Amino acid sequence: MDLPIYYTRAEYIETDTGNKVSRRATISGPQNIILGGKTIIASGAIIRGDLRRTGPGHAVVISLGRYCLIGEGCVMRPPYKTYRGNFNYYPMKIGDHVHIGANSIVEAATIGNHVEIGKNCIIGKFTIIKDCAKIADNTVIPPNTVVPALALFAGSPGRFIEDLPESTPEMVEAQTKQYYTRFQPLPAER
Amino acid sequence: MAPKIEYYCPCLSESPHPPPPNLPSSSYSFHPLHNLFFCEECDAVRCNRCVLVEVSGYYCPNCLFEVPSASVRAEKNRCARNCFLCPNCRNTLTVVPSDPPENVDSRTSPIVSTTLGEPPFFLYCNHCRWDSAEVGITFEKPTGLAAQLQKFEDSAPESLEFERLKEHFEPFLRASSSSSTLPSASSHHVHTNPITAAASSALARDIPGVGKYNPLSRSRVGRDKAAHRQEYPDYKSRVEIGSAAALSGEADVEFLRHLETVSEVAALEQRWTNSWVSPLPASDLKPLRIPLQSKKSKRCPSCRHILIKPEQKAQSVRFKIKLVAANYLPAIAVTLPHAQAAIEMLKRTSKSASAAAQAEEQQAAGALIAGHSYSFHLAFTNPLYDPIQIRLAKALAPVQTAEGDAAAEAAERARRSTFQIQLPSAAFPVGAFAEAWEYDDEDEDMFLDDDGMEIVEARGKKGKDGRGKTRSVGIVEKRANVTIVSGEVLIPKEARGDVRFNMLVSYTYRSDDPEPSEEAGVGTPSRSHGTNKAPEMKNFSFYTVVDLGPIMYREEPKLTADL
Ligand SMILES: [Zn+2]
Ligand SMILES: [Zn+2]
Ligand SMILES: [Zn+2]
Ligand SMILES: [Zn+2]
């Protein structure tokens, strides 16, 4: 059986819906960020909810689903472009059961459900990652890339490597749920 | 490396027993559980090497357009929309106008709507900065680029030659396909499609001594002979092959003579996804229309029942039929408690160390050292709605056929230098899977806590090896649909290599047969409760390979000196 992953209770804030957010993470513009519940934001992660579309009113910049993990040192930044002469940021939407490994930089437009992104990856602007895809460690996905469902991408630039097994949804779901359960305060503090 | 376990699919061997795990080739017969399928009809495990694969739909991996099979052929298996691969780095190309927008810093890629901008348009790679203007490809309009490029491809001499060949054989193909529609329609797995038949009979006619490829019974031979008698004219090629080769050959030599850097030559990787001969100089490579991908159905190789049937929608990850082994066989996880304890210690003590250093420390702490014995844990998770009884056995090594004293001595020596495995001999139960357990993951009490180790000492049967050790072989823990048992490995001082062994897992389960299950897709039949019938117990066995990791030595400096 897999061992627990301990954290010091003082470091993490736990929300009513079970999100665990490190005090050492930088959450800019929290009012523009949605966390689905049971999502973990690890130490040193940077989430740029402040980079919002210009204009009045409230805007969701980054939304994350349930059972997600933003690994240590990750940078989540909404994509931007100049369209018809206007510079603007565009929202980033991430589904349920999405794990992002340590030190990855993500500027995707959408990431589906059950997606695994490895460590030290760069996910370019406006990338679309469909359900159950997997990005191997150290992959560079150039801007505007589309990663189809159940595909493994690796390399620089990231390319299709192989189809993932049909049982990927169940596997990833079990893994992300298990990870959340394993992620617990050090027993000494209990 | 963490210990691991893989499951055996017997499709590559004649015998139902797995090959010895120390043979490198044995790895082809073992698979992770989640990569395997299960045929209920045959009551057997199937793997990706043995299932029959059928294309159930085509789509472009970039624009995700679902391409109807009719156009797949005309468009030569590539996307006919605006999807292109960079010939240099395989990234997806972007269509850009000639006037890059102002006020964009040079680092950003020119992402512009194609409704804007001035012609000519060209294809640009935002990864390696290749652009199609370099090879003289520009477009007046930013739409319908694929059609323009395909016109290019289709005018390649090889493409024209191929078309001509197809045309030449067309009448013969039509004749032979009409005569063989019946067998090919009833079972298309047998290799008798009209093209194969035509090719084989043409080969048999033109090259003396080449027998006709004949997968079918004798009755078909006669019919093939009849078809063979039918005459068709000789093929006249467009290009005389000798002169064509000479032409490109001389040019290539000339090019190579003036080569300054190796990168001027297109790498193999850059050339081989091309349909036709591609130019040697890297600077001449053309953008590629993106090859289509397919969704696949999978069938059992022996009974033809469908094991995998995807939903029509290309990007759906749901399946109409999905018979995966993980829903039938217990999942097994292997751990080395001594390694886990060591990792635990390291985690608590050395917090500041870098991740790499930590990984190294953990590796060292979890090592299997020659001359010691270790216990290992096997956690069985039951996917069935009924409890199962599991029995484990070490797979026997294949019987040595060698004779004589020398052979016996060698065998004895081999035995002395190989590790010994002890597995629990008694059958043990694993509780039923219940949907509720899935939602209990929040419940920390269900999780293996620190008390787990104490349960070992309290409940496990103490090993009676007379050395007064408190190791145990037996049940360690039982909860929900998981049972953890422990085994022991004894590594002699002379042992080398990996601790890897085959294990036979047999389990009995309550069978709900013979009710046929037509509600495919709504859970698997084995998971359904058939309480109206008297329970019938069935047995299923499968082989696995357990890999606990490499054997290490205490004298590390000496080891490096030996190397
Ligand atoms: Zn197989
Ligand atoms: Zn396309
Ligand atoms: Zn490129
Ligand atoms: Zn079958």
Side-chain angles (χ1 to χ4, degrees), chain B residues 8-12 28-29 31 36 45-51 301:
Chain B
Y8 178 61
C9 178
C11 61
L12 284 177
Y28 294 101
S29 298
H31 315 267
L36 291 172
V45 168
R46 302 291 181 219
C47 74
N48 272 314
R49 289 177 194 281
C50 57
V51 290

Side-chain angles (χ1 to χ4, degrees), chain B residues 78 86-88 90 248 252 255 264-282 285-286 288:
Chain B
R78 286 168 191 262
C86 172
N88 192 41
R90 292 295 125 96
S248 80
D252 287 350
F255 162 68
E264 287 176 40
V265 183
L268 180 61
E269 206 196 346
Q270 294 169 332
R271 302 175 70 201
W272 71 357
T273 45
N274 254 320
S275 302
W276 310 113
V277 176
S278 64
L280 202 56
L285 290 169
K286 304 276 188 293
L288 300 161

Side-chain angles (χ1 to χ4, degrees), chain A residues 1-8 20 38 67 80-85 114 125-126 128 130-132 140-151 156-160 163 165-171 177-178 180-188 190, chain B residues 34-35 37 48 59 61-62 64 89-92 94 102-105 107-109 111 113 115-116 126-127 269 293-294 296 298 308 314-317 319 322 324 333 335 340 343-344 347-348 351 379 381 438-439 441-444 447-448 450 479 482 484:
Chain A
M1 281 286 102
D2 289 316
L3 294 164
I5 299 156
Y6 292 123
Y7 62 87
T8 49
K20 294 183 178 185
K38 303 199 171 173
Y67 290 104
Y80 60 85
K81 68 178 172 187
T82 303
Y83 181 66
R84 295 188 187 274
H114 304 109
K125 282 189 284 289
F126 296 103
I128 296 170
K130 304 299 273 187
D131 293 348
C132 302
V140 177
I141 303 283
N144 304 314
T145 304
V146 176
V147 179
L150 288 165
S156 173
R159 297 172 203 162
F160 175 83
D163 288 322
E166 290 81 359
S167 49
T168 302
E170 294 83 7
M171 276 165 49
K177 283 184 171 174
Q178 204 182 47
Y180 183 80
T181 316
R182 288 166 64 200
F183 193 76
Q184 48 185 276
L186 263 171
R190 276 197 283 213
Chain B
H34 52 255
N35 286 2
F37 312 101
N48 272 314
Y59 65 93
N62 185 55
L64 306 178
C89 76
R90 292 295 125 96
N91 180 29
T92 312
T94 317
E102 288 160 42
N103 309 326
V104 172
D105 68 288
R107 269 176 43 240
T108 62
S109 60
I111 301 154
S113 158
T115 55
L116 274 181
N126 55 26
H127 187 75
E269 206 196 346
Q293 286 186 8
S294 60
K296 296 161 193 98
K298 295 176 182 177
I308 293 290
Q315 293 308 302
S316 167
V317 291
F319 293 84
K322 180 158 112 178
V324 291
T335 48
Q340 290 208 324
I343 289 167
E344 194 82 333
K347 261 192 199 155
R348 291 186 197 205
K351 271 198 166 167
T381 308
E438 283 200 325
Y439 303 102
D441 55 5
E442 296 97 284
D443 190 348
E444 289 186 15
F447 196 75
L448 172 63
D450 295 5
R479 61 189 156 86
V482 180
I484 303 175

Side-chain angles (χ1 to χ4, degrees), chain A:
Chain A
M1 281 286 102
D2 289 316
L3 294 164
I5 299 156
Y6 292 123
Y7 62 87
T8 49
R9 177 154 278 169
E11 190 193 327
Y12 280 83
I13 305 162
E14 187 168 350
T15 69
D16 294 344
T17 50
N19 297 309
K20 294 183 178 185
V21 181
S22 170
R23 292 180 198 275
R24 281 188 246 166
T26 306
I27 313 289
S28 310
Q31 70 281 6
N32 302 330
I33 299 170
I34 294 176
L35 302 182
K38 303 199 171 173
T39 280
I40 301 166
I41 315 279
S43 308
I46 299 172
I47 303 187
R48 298 297 303 270
D50 56 325
L51 303 178
R52 54 173 296 221
R53 192 179 254 285
T54 48
H58 183 74
V60 175
V61 174
I62 294 174
S63 71
L64 283 155
R66 284 161 58 79
Y67 290 104
C68 292
L69 168 69
I70 307 300
E72 291 177 21
C74 278
V75 179
M76 310 291 289
R77 193 164 50 197
Y80 60 85
K81 68 178 172 187
T82 303
Y83 181 66
R84 295 188 187 274
N86 297 316
F87 176 89
N88 232 327
Y89 286 102
Y90 291 78
M92 179 192 291
K93 192 174 183 308
I94 296 174
D96 298 333
H97 305 283
V98 174
H99 270 204
I100 299 171
N103 301 314
S104 288
I105 298 169
V106 178
E107 297 184 289
T110 48
I111 296 178
N113 299 318
H114 304 109
V115 172
E116 284 177 87
I117 295 174
K119 295 172 189 153
N120 307 317
C121 290
I122 297 173
I123 310 297
K125 282 189 284 289
F126 296 103
T127 292
I128 296 170
I129 302 178
K130 304 299 273 187
D131 293 348
C132 302
K134 181 174 175 172
I135 314 292
D137 291 351
N138 310 313
T139 300
V140 177
I141 303 283
N144 304 314
T145 304
V146 176
V147 179
L150 288 165
L152 170 65
F153 268 51
S156 173
R159 297 172 203 162
F160 175 83
I161 303 294
E162 62 177 10
D163 288 322
L164 292 170
E166 290 81 359
S167 49
T168 302
E170 294 83 7
M171 276 165 49
V172 174
E173 187 154 332
Q175 276 164 19
T176 55
K177 283 184 171 174
Q178 204 182 47
Y179 188 92
Y180 183 80
T181 316
R182 288 166 64 200
F183 193 76
Q184 48 185 276
L186 263 171
E189 304 177 7
R190 276 197 283 213

Side-chain angles (χ1 to χ4, degrees), chain B residues 346-364:
Chain B
L346 285 171
K347 261 192 199 155
R348 291 186 197 205
T349 53
S350 65
K351 271 198 166 167
S352 51
S354 74
Q358 263 184 13
E360 211 165 279
E361 278 181 333
Q362 289 174 7
Q363 174 106 39

Side-chain angles (χ1 to χ4, degrees), chain B residues 104-425:
Chain B
V104 172
D105 68 288
S106 56
R107 269 176 43 240
T108 62
S109 60
I111 301 154
V112 207
S113 158
T114 49
T115 55
L116 274 181
E118 292 289 314
F121 295 88
F122 55 96
L123 296 166
Y124 174 79
C125 174
N126 55 26
H127 187 75
C128 74
R129 301 191 180 184
W130 179 91
D131 75 67
S132 66
E134 282 176 27
V135 292
I137 297 178
T138 55
F139 305 90
E140 281 313 305
K141 279 187 296 176
T143 51
L145 307 190
Q148 294 178 52
L149 275 185
Q150 195 183 343
K151 226 177 280 166
F152 236 38
E153 293 166 25
D154 289 352
S155 64
E158 298 90 350
S159 174
L160 294 173
E161 191 73 62
F162 182 71
E163 288 302 321
R164 195 178 160 103
L165 261 171
K166 266 194 348 200
E167 229 165 77
H168 177 75
F169 283 113
E170 198 65 49
F172 182 70
L173 284 179
R174 223 178 291 120
S176 66
S177 71
S178 58
S179 71
S180 62
T181 28
L182 215 122
S184 67
S186 62
S187 63
H188 57 112
H189 137 265
V190 187
H191 311 275
T192 50
N193 70 57
I195 297 169
T196 315
S200 99
S201 76
L203 200 64
R205 191 199 58 163
D206 293 342
I207 304 171
V210 173
K212 213 181 302 169
Y213 173 64
N214 221 327
L216 277 195
S217 62
R218 284 176 181 279
S219 63
R220 240 188 90 68
V221 179
R223 228 188 305 164
D224 265 356
K225 271 196 183 127
H228 181 206
R229 246 184 274 124
Q230 184 184 333
E231 270 310 313
Y232 53 97
D234 282 345
Y235 178 68
K236 265 270 204 256
S237 60
R238 274 184 80 252
V239 190
E240 203 52 58
I241 194 67
S243 66
L247 265 174
S248 80
E250 257 163 44
D252 287 350
V253 169
E254 194 57 27
F255 162 68
L256 291 170
R257 229 175 237 146
H258 297 98
L259 208 61
E260 280 177 15
T261 62
V262 181
S263 59
E264 287 176 40
V265 183
L268 180 61
E269 206 196 346
Q270 294 169 332
R271 302 175 70 201
W272 71 357
T273 45
N274 254 320
S275 302
W276 310 113
V277 176
S278 64
L280 202 56
S283 58
D284 286 359
L285 290 169
K286 304 276 188 293
L288 300 161
R289 291 190 296 131
I290 289 185
L292 300 178
Q293 286 186 8
S294 60
K295 294 202 95 174
K296 296 161 193 98
S297 294
K298 295 176 182 177
R299 287 177 187 270
C300 172
S302 94
C303 72
R304 301 296 153 79
H305 274 78
I306 292 182
L307 305 177
I308 293 290
K309 186 174 188 178
E311 274 191 358
Q312 200 61 45
K313 230 176 121 244
Q315 293 308 302
S316 167
V317 291
R318 296 159 62 100
F319 293 84
K320 286 180 190 148
I321 298 172
K322 180 158 112 178
L323 301 176
V324 291
N327 288 342
Y328 296 84
L329 311 189
I332 309 172
V334 202
T335 48
L336 288 164
H338 80 279
Q340 290 208 324
I343 289 167
E344 194 82 333
M345 281 301 289
L346 285 171
K347 261 192 199 155
R348 291 186 197 205
T349 53
S350 65
K351 271 198 166 167
S352 51
S354 74
Q358 263 184 13
E360 211 165 279
E361 278 181 333
Q362 289 174 7
Q363 174 106 39
L368 297 166
I369 296 159
H372 288 247
S373 62
Y374 297 92
S375 76
F376 56 89
H377 286 178
L378 298 166
F380 291 83
T381 308
N382 182 7
L384 306 177
Y385 280 124
D386 291 300
I388 56 173
Q389 288 279 331
I390 296 184
R391 192 181 285 275
L392 302 177
K394 213 180 89 188
L396 295 170
V399 185
Q400 299 278 336
T401 47
E403 279 174 43
D405 286 348
E409 205 178 286
E412 178 53 35
R413 203 166 47 237
R415 192 172 308 133
R416 249 186 291 127
S417 65
T418 53
F419 53 87
Q420 300 295 312
I421 298 289
Q422 253 191 295
L423 292 168
S425 52

